[in-house]
């Protein structure tokens, strides 16, 4: 009863705020749409489609047999988790959650193993860390190495810690103790035969499933962009800053960190625009990247809701990752200082190298996004039942 009242009040308050602040809401919504339209969708779509094809062709099953000897001792998950770990780091969140749920649905993971895996396989992509954060926000490409080491190192340590999560629970998934390539190819072949889909069907499913997931991601990005703006417009954001003030953090970080806890891109941009010391900015940015922001956590919660995989282990791992990544970059910064002899000029997408990755996405991302959505509509129209 109380939960219903709380949800109803929240929805009514949100509707009232949307009516009272139409211009800021529209601006924030368009800002989120631009991010999804230009960068997120076109950068993630190839990874999502490729991963679906690899799963359908049985390649993931074969790789799992080869990497079993690494993943089981390190992270206490089957070898197929190696695919999710590597692809999750390469493509960025929420890819790790998407493929973890797929493997769980296919019976390649137990629920506990899926909860371990999803806790450390959702990470920021190198494109975002080096292109957007290091060059775009800090204007120093060399900082990307520091941020990446702290971020991915934190993910690795979280994976080591999560191996002890329900460690006394027995797995019913059969381990492939042999790393023989011949056995891996046989496993891959039998998995493809068991899947049974034709190449055309597999391609169609890969496109439609990937676009569906990315449409959901776009909705969350726009929604949390609007929520962050509404908190600023209504002044409610200061309620959170008062809590941060109790931690002793510099006052210049109160609003940026609050924004970063909601949506990481907005928060990182605000942190780097503050007048605090570089080390303090790096620590705050690493904390935000490790925490992921409630926007990304909501995306992952939505994906996990398709199964009975629990969200709480992932949420606790995010708090631990934020603290560990912040501590790691504090240590790494002192190794970076001797090489800090010059600075890189401010980066502006409009004046950047036309062959740079971010400039490419900003120029060609929107047509790729629209083309993929139209292709999904066409595939579903062709697959509709005919009378």
């Amino acid at each position: 009863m109380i939960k219903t009242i709380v949800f109803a009040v929240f929805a009514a308050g949100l509707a009232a705020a949307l009516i009272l602040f139409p211009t800021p809401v529209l601006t924030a919504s368009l800002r989120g749409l631009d991010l999804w339209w230009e960068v997120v969708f076109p950068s993630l779509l190839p990874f999502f489609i490729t991963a679906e094809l690899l799963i359908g062709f049985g390649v993931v099953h074969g790789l799992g047999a080869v990497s079993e000897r690494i993943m089981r001792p390190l992270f206490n998950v089957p070898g197929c988790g190696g695919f999710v770990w590597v692809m999750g780091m390469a493509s960025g969140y929420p890819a790790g959650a998407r493929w973890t749920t797929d493997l769980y649905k296919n019976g390649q993971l137990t629920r506990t193993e899926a909860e371990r895996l999803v806790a450390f396989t959702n990470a920021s992509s190198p494109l975002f860390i080096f292109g957007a954060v290091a060059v775009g926000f800090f204007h120093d490409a060399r900082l990307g190495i520091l941020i990446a080491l702290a971020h991915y190192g934190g993910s690795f340590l979280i994976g080591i810690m999560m191996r002890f999560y329900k460690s006394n629970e027995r797995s019913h998934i059969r381990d492939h103790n042999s790393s023989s390539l011949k056995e891996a190819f046989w496993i891959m072949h039998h998995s493809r035969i068991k899947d049974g889909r034709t190449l055309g069907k597999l391609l169609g499913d890969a496109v439609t499933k990937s676009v569906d997931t990315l449409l959901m991601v776009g909705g969350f990005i726009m929604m949390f962009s609007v929520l962050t703006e509404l908190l600023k417009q209504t002044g409610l954001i200061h309620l959170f800053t008062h809590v941060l003030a109790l931690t002793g953090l510099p006052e210049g970080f109160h609003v940026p960190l609050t924004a970063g806890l909601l949506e990481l891109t907005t928060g990182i941009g605000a942190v780097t625009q503050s007048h605090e010391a570089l080390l303090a900015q790096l620590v705050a940015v690493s904390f935000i990247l490790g925490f992921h922001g409630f926007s990304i956590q909501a995306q992952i919660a939505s994906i996990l809701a398709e199964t009975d995989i629990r969200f709480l282990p992932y949420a606790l791992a995010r708090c631990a990752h934020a603290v560990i990544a912040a501590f790691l970059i504090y240590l790494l910064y002192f190794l970076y200082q001797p090489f800090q002899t010059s600075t890189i000029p401010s980066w502006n997408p409009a004046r950047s190298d036309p062959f740079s990755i971010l400039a490419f996405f900003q120029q060609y991302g929107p047509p790729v996004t629209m083309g993929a959505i139209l292709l999904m509509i066409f595939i579903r129209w062709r697959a509709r039942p005919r009378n």
Side-chain angles (χ1 to χ4, degrees), residues 129-130 133-135 138 140-150 152:
I129 289 178
F130 285 92
V133 178
V135 178
F138 281 108
D140 190 341
R142 293 165 301 179
L143 290 177
I145 300 175
L146 288 183
I147 299 169
L149 286 174
Y152 298 132

Side-chain angles (χ1 to χ4, degrees), residues 19 45 48-49 108 121 158 165 178 270 311 359:
I19 295 171
L45 183 65
F48 275 56
I49 293 178
Q108 294 179 258
T121 55
I158 290 298
Y165 169 67
S178 172
F311 175 75

